Amino acid sequence: YAGNYGITFKTAKAVLGDVNEDGMLDARDASTVLQEYANVSSGCESSFSETQKKLANYNKDGYVDAKDASLILQEYARIQSEA
């Protein structure tokens, strides 16, 4: 539809760690990653999309876990200290 009317969309580049995809890396992202890890670790099915899994894997080791949540929170703290 959009293509028929010359409408284009800009898409923002995904930010590693920004699992809620709001364009900001923050404590909510770290909390969401930690919650996902806890759920999956206890046998629940992942609620993350493939994109969210890629964004959540902050240390790029192939796993979404507490390490990723911690690193996201550390990066958020670093960003905030520079603001």
Side-chain angles (χ1 to χ4, degrees):
Y1 175 85
N4 292 336
Y5 294 94
I7 300 170
T8 58
F9 298 92
K10 283 188 174 182
T11 56
K13 184 177 178 183
V15 176
L16 185 63
D18 180 22
V19 295
N20 63 4
E21 300 179 78
D22 65 356
M24 298 181 297
L25 183 68
D26 56 27
R28 286 179 294 217
D29 297 304
S31 178
T32 302
V33 169
L34 193 56
Q35 182 177 14
E36 172 73 357
Y37 171 63
N39 288 341
V40 171
S41 293
S42 65
C44 296
E45 194 170 315
S46 175
S47 64
F48 276 8
S49 68
E50 288 304 311
T51 298
Q52 286 176 306
K53 288 177 186 177
K54 289 177 186 174
L55 294 173
N57 186 20
Y58 199 81
N59 62 3
K60 299 182 182 180
D61 67 355
Y63 304 98
V64 174
D65 55 25
K67 293 176 198 171
D68 297 302
S70 179
L71 291 169
I72 291 168
L73 195 55
Q74 286 176 21
E75 180 61 9
Y76 171 63
R78 185 192 67 75
I79 291 168
Q80 290 304 302
S81 70
E82 292 179 357

